[in-house]
Amino acid sequence: MADQTGLRLVHLYKRYDNEGKKKKKVVNDYAVKDLTLEAEPGEFVAFLGPSGCGKTTTLRMIAGLETITKGDIYIGDDRINDFEPKDRHIGLAFEDYAMYPPMSVYDNIAYNLRARGVNAKEIDRRVHAIAPLLQVDDLLDKKPVKLSGGQKQRVNIARAIIRRPQILLMDEPLSHLDGKARQAMRVQIKRLINEIKCTTIYVTHDQLEAMSLADRIAIINFGVLQQYGTPAEVYDDPANEFVASFIGEPPMNILRTVIIRKEGGFFFTFENSDLQIPVPQRYYSVVSDGFECKMGVRPMDLLIGDETSQGTPEKIATFENLGDERRIGIRVGETLMMLITEDERRYKQGDVVKLEVRGEKTHLFDITTGQRIREK
């Protein structure tokens, strides 16, 4: 594998120009807007966001498959904007396996090396070095039609890394696999990246993949970078309402609230609900009586109290038993607030429980901008 090399995106923009119905040129909004981030040498970075958010467009600009409207891309110290794709020292694994059906697995893996004129002995050495890493060494004589989806994807990744890329780009590599196969491939990809220590950009819309695989996650929406941080940072310290609701399963509960002053403290209150939640003291410097915002709290930070609990009595609206956890829905005004419990008791609709909230785990968001309101 090539020496570890980092990747930098500097004020990157991409805009597509299309022809309107009357041949009048129509310029779309930017698909990628002012994207700046850096992947350290050997780092695994996930681009995460909903479909159409610009993550694949960004990856294709890195690969040289899309032109750059504005901005710069650096691999190591080299500005690669004008480099041909073949000169960028990248390996690319698409979601589409794109294997050559008449060729064996061995020949599919070796294809790029042969095209570059690498001698047969070196090709054979590299293929037999890469194949065990991807657990395809027993498939080298088979044709693609004989392979499962997971096996094809492992061959696809082997073909990408045999070139010894400085940057490995992976675009939704597990999207065609079923749940069990996806889980198995996540484990194999994590093991592989730990072994080859190649700077990797991994595009996905699946937050579980990003959280389990990446060293850092770039969360993108409408072409704009929302937050860039470790899995723990984006989960525990979301920058805005979008990140808070996108990361986590089930997602964070986010409710509109009016804060009131009462008995020397502040409380979250909710329209058409008797529920009142104490506001943590750390927010006292940014709230006031009548202050309106959105309050966020994750399902695992809501608790069912016992008979001695001082929690608020609430009726259960929904109950799901998923085996290892139970999900309870409680109606708060017009919003269904979800909580997760490992309590083995089976509840039913209409049961009354005492709801407790870990106030220190709540987050505040601006109603208009969605940005996080932080304590001063």
Side-chain angles (χ1 to χ4, degrees), residues 112-312:
N112 285 329
L113 297 185
R114 286 183 177 142
R116 291 165 55 195
V118 178
N119 69 68
K121 185 175 181 180
E122 175 63 11
I123 289 173
D124 189 67
R125 187 189 70 78
R126 289 202 204 176
V127 170
H128 283 95
I130 289 294
L133 290 178
L134 276 300
Q135 299 178 357
V136 296
D137 42 322
D138 58 341
L139 305 175
L140 294 177
D141 295 330
K142 292 188 175 182
K143 297 291 179 64
V145 71
K146 299 291 186 181
L147 304 183
S148 69
Q151 290 170 334
K152 288 179 182 177
Q153 194 54 275
R154 292 202 298 273
V155 174
N156 187 25
I157 296 170
R159 186 171 51 184
I161 67 175
I162 198 170
R163 300 177 61 183
R164 297 178 175 173
Q166 292 178 333
I167 307 292
L168 176 61
L169 307 176
M170 306 177 76
D171 185 13
E172 301 271 12
L174 309 185
S175 61
H176 294 322
L177 305 182
D178 61 29
K180 189 172 183 180
R182 289 171 76 102
Q183 184 177 4
M185 275 299 295
R186 281 202 305 269
V187 173
Q188 292 176 357
I189 288 174
K190 187 73 171 179
R191 174 187 54 80
L192 171 70
I193 298 303
N194 286 337
E195 289 192 32
I196 66 174
K197 302 187 188 310
C198 177
T199 306
T200 301
I201 304 297
Y202 186 98
V203 166
T204 182
H205 64 273
D206 186 330
Q207 51 124 348
L208 182 58
E209 285 181 19
M211 294 289 283
S212 61
L213 290 172
D215 298 315
R216 282 194 288 176
I217 302 173
I219 301 175
I220 303 171
N221 194 33
F222 294 118
V224 177
L225 181 65
Q226 304 293 312
Q227 187 168 357
Y228 187 39
T230 66
E233 287 169 347
V234 299
Y235 184 86
D236 294 327
D237 193 22
N240 55 41
E241 182 181 344
F242 174 80
V243 173
S245 60
F246 198 80
I247 295 291
E249 175 55 37
M252 181 182 289
N253 298 293
I254 299 179
L255 301 88
R256 187 160 181 153
T257 180
V258 176
I259 293 175
I260 64 169
R261 181 185 289 276
K262 174 182 167 184
E263 299 171 355
F266 290 102
F267 290 81
F268 297 110
T269 66
F270 309 92
E271 187 175 4
N272 299 323
S273 173
D274 294 329
L275 178 63
Q276 295 188 2
I277 301 171
V279 175
Q281 287 197 355
R282 72 175 188 274
Y283 290 127
Y284 281 19
S285 62
V286 295
V287 303
S288 57
D289 191 29
F291 184 80
E292 295 187 43
C293 63
K294 290 184 179 180
M295 185 274 292
V297 61
R298 294 205 178 275
M300 53 288 302
D301 294 320
L302 298 171
L303 309 172
I304 300 297
D306 58 23
E307 61 274 4
T308 65
S309 170
Q310 299 299 310
T312 307

Side-chain angles (χ1 to χ4, degrees), residues 11-15 28-36 53-54 58 61 70 220-226:
H11 300 300
L12 199 62
Y13 289 80
K14 174 64 182 180
R15 183 169 62 192
N28 292 337
D29 288 337
Y30 286 107
V32 177
K33 304 176 186 178
D34 199 18
L35 178 57
T36 296
C53 72
T58 302
M61 284 193 284
K70 286 193 294 184
I220 303 171
N221 194 33
F222 294 118
V224 177
L225 181 65
Q226 304 293 312

Side-chain angles (χ1 to χ4, degrees), residues 36-78:
T36 296
L37 61 80
E38 181 172 359
E40 299 290 341
E43 190 172 26
F44 191 121
V45 172
F47 287 176
L48 175 67
S51 297
C53 72
K55 54 190 185 295
T56 292
T57 299
T58 302
L59 180 137
R60 289 174 61 85
M61 284 193 284
I62 298 169
L65 304 178
E66 294 279 3
T67 58
I68 299 168
T69 302
K70 286 193 294 184
D72 299 296
I73 300 177
Y74 294 87
I75 294 180
D77 295 326
D78 296 325

